[in-house]
Amino acid sequence: MANSKYEYVKAFEQPDVLLPDTWIVVRIDGRGFHKLTDRYGFQKPNDRRALDLMNAAAVEVMKDLPDLCIAYGVSDEYSFVFHPSCQLFERRSAKLVTTIVSTFTAHYIYQWGAHFPGTPLQPPYLPSFDGRAVVYPNARIFRDYMSWRQVDCHINNLYNTTFWTMVQQGGMSNTDAEQELKGTVSSDKNEILFQRFGINYNNEEEIYKKGSVVYRKYQLEEAKPAGEPETAASAVTTRDTQVSRSQQDKLKKLRRKAQVVVEHVDIIKDEFWDRRPWIISGKPGKLPDDV
Ligand code: DGT
Ligand code: MG
Ligand code: MG
């Protein structure tokens, strides 16, 4: 680019490179989905079509960005995770966040009609998402982040399921149901569901109870025997995250070969991570035999 007297304005741009060797989580969240879900008549408390659409968009984001190692979605939010070794966009925060937000939104809108046939999108109620990047210094804290989101999913879903059952099946007003649930703990809500409505919360669909986990599938490994102190999660060293450009390109190709799957499973316990060590290590595993 030719120099001009206007060139100096470039000095106003602020650097926003995220810390090296850290887990980058980009969490996106639907803007004003309270209104939007009302406008398009989403079922309460969970609309399967809406969750399937969120998951379909997330799968496309994962396919588009091989640097992503896992994503977790619940309600109108999705957390996308870049491995500490990620060098995409030189780890510039705004580039990473805006790419994820716009790619996700594009696919969400593109696939809307397939998931909500007969309910076309109409301005001003068009889906949009905000996003932010947060870095976590090690695998333990990154896993605590993921656990935090899944626990949140559980707490909200138990509350919402109980609340809407009391309203929809019990004929209570929103205010009365809210009043009765004030100060209750999980066991109280389980009891209300079971005693009054014959609903065993454990039998509710996993996608509602656990949220959605999206990752690249390789051959599962044996779970570690209980009591072994070191999980794969704590085994990443700085050395593991320093890889050359050509090595990175090779890994990218390998990642593109793997199938991206959506599962509704526990990510709080060690088992999920121990059986899928490639997520924490960043090193692709073996492709399943049938691929
Ligand atoms: P925000 O994020 O500050 O722009 O505002 P909202 O309205 O998006 O609030 P948020 O993200 O805290 O809460 C998500 C809203 O989306 C909440 O009102 C419930 C609604 N929502 C999410 N999934 C479903 C669903 O499957 N069915 C229904 N009926 N509503 C849902
Ligand atoms: Mg929202
Ligand atoms: Mg939300």
Side-chain angles (χ1 to χ4, degrees), residues 24-277:
I24 302 172
V25 177
V26 175
R27 183 168 74 249
I28 68 168
D29 185 284
R31 274 187 65 215
F33 264 44
H34 182 69
K35 262 213 170 122
L36 185 124
T37 53
D38 263 358
R39 169 69 181 74
Y40 295 110
F42 282 26
Q43 281 148 23
K44 292 172 194 295
N46 295 301
D47 190 309
R48 184 61 198 244
R49 300 166 299 175
L51 292 179
D52 287 343
L53 175 56
M54 288 290 287
N55 293 342
V59 165
E60 293 307 319
V61 172
M62 287 286 285
K63 285 191 197 158
D64 204 36
L65 298 166
D67 290 271
L68 287 167
C69 56
I70 190 167
Y72 176 74
V74 47
S75 181
D76 68 338
E77 71 168 60
Y78 240 101
S79 299
F80 291 93
V81 183
F82 290 104
H83 193 263
S85 61
C86 168
Q87 293 303 329
L88 184 63
F89 303 134
E90 281 81 45
R91 298 172 71 86
R92 288 160 66 186
S93 179
K95 287 256 204 181
L96 293 169
V97 173
T98 54
T99 301
I100 293 221
V101 165
S102 60
T103 308
F104 186 92
T105 307
H107 283 286
Y108 189 94
I109 288 173
Y110 180 65
Q111 295 203 33
W112 174 273
H115 291 83
F116 287 90
T119 312
L121 286 171
Q122 257 169 355
Y125 299 102
L126 296 180
S128 61
F129 293 82
D130 66 34
R132 74 198 74 181
V134 178
V135 297
Y136 297 98
N138 58 44
R140 178 181 60 81
I141 301 178
F142 153 62
R143 269 190 54 186
D144 282 347
Y145 170 84
M146 299 295 270
S147 301
W148 173 50
R149 296 326 301 145
Q150 193 164 52
V151 167
D152 218 54
C153 168
H154 167 74
I155 292 170
N156 289 334
N157 191 57
L158 179 58
Y159 181 92
N160 292 338
T161 304
T162 314
F163 176 88
W164 286 109
T165 306
M166 290 162 83
V167 171
Q168 291 164 348
Q169 293 185 36
M172 287 176 82
S173 71
N174 289 17
T175 328
D176 286 349
E178 193 181 325
Q179 202 56 37
E180 192 179 334
L181 287 175
K182 219 172 239 172
T184 56
V185 294
S186 291
S187 54
D188 301 326
K189 295 184 192 75
N190 275 301
E191 204 63 9
I192 291 173
L193 283 173
F194 193 69
Q195 296 296 345
R196 284 193 219 165
F197 304 100
I199 295 172
N200 183 343
Y201 182 74
N202 290 331
N203 297 338
E204 292 292 296
E205 288 197 52
E206 294 298 309
I207 184 172
Y208 304 145
K209 288 186 296 181
K210 299 230 166 59
S212 300
V213 189
V214 184
Y215 66 96
R216 287 171 229 288
K217 186 132 195 137
Y218 300 101
Q219 273 182 36
L220 289 178
E221 301 202 0
E222 290 294 316
K224 287 202 171 152
E228 235 176 89
E230 168 132 328
T231 63
S234 58
V236 176
T237 65
T238 308
R239 189 171 37 79
D240 288 333
T241 65
Q242 312 275 321
V243 282
S244 69
R245 183 54 73 99
S246 65
Q247 182 69 4
Q248 277 172 32
D249 288 346
K250 218 167 104 186
L251 291 174
K252 209 170 264 191
K253 270 192 199 132
L254 278 172
R255 289 190 187 117
R256 283 199 195 278
K257 281 192 184 152
Q259 191 197 355
V260 174
V261 294
V262 182
E263 291 176 358
H264 317 292
V265 292
D266 182 288
I267 52 168
I268 298 170
K269 297 193 199 88
D270 288 339
E271 195 204 345
F272 174 84
W273 306 94
D274 286 346
R275 299 207 67 194
R276 299 161 185 82

Side-chain angles (χ1 to χ4, degrees), residues 7-15:
E7 187 94 2
Y8 77 96
V9 298
K10 204 146 173 34
F12 287 79
E13 291 179 14
Q14 295 288 302

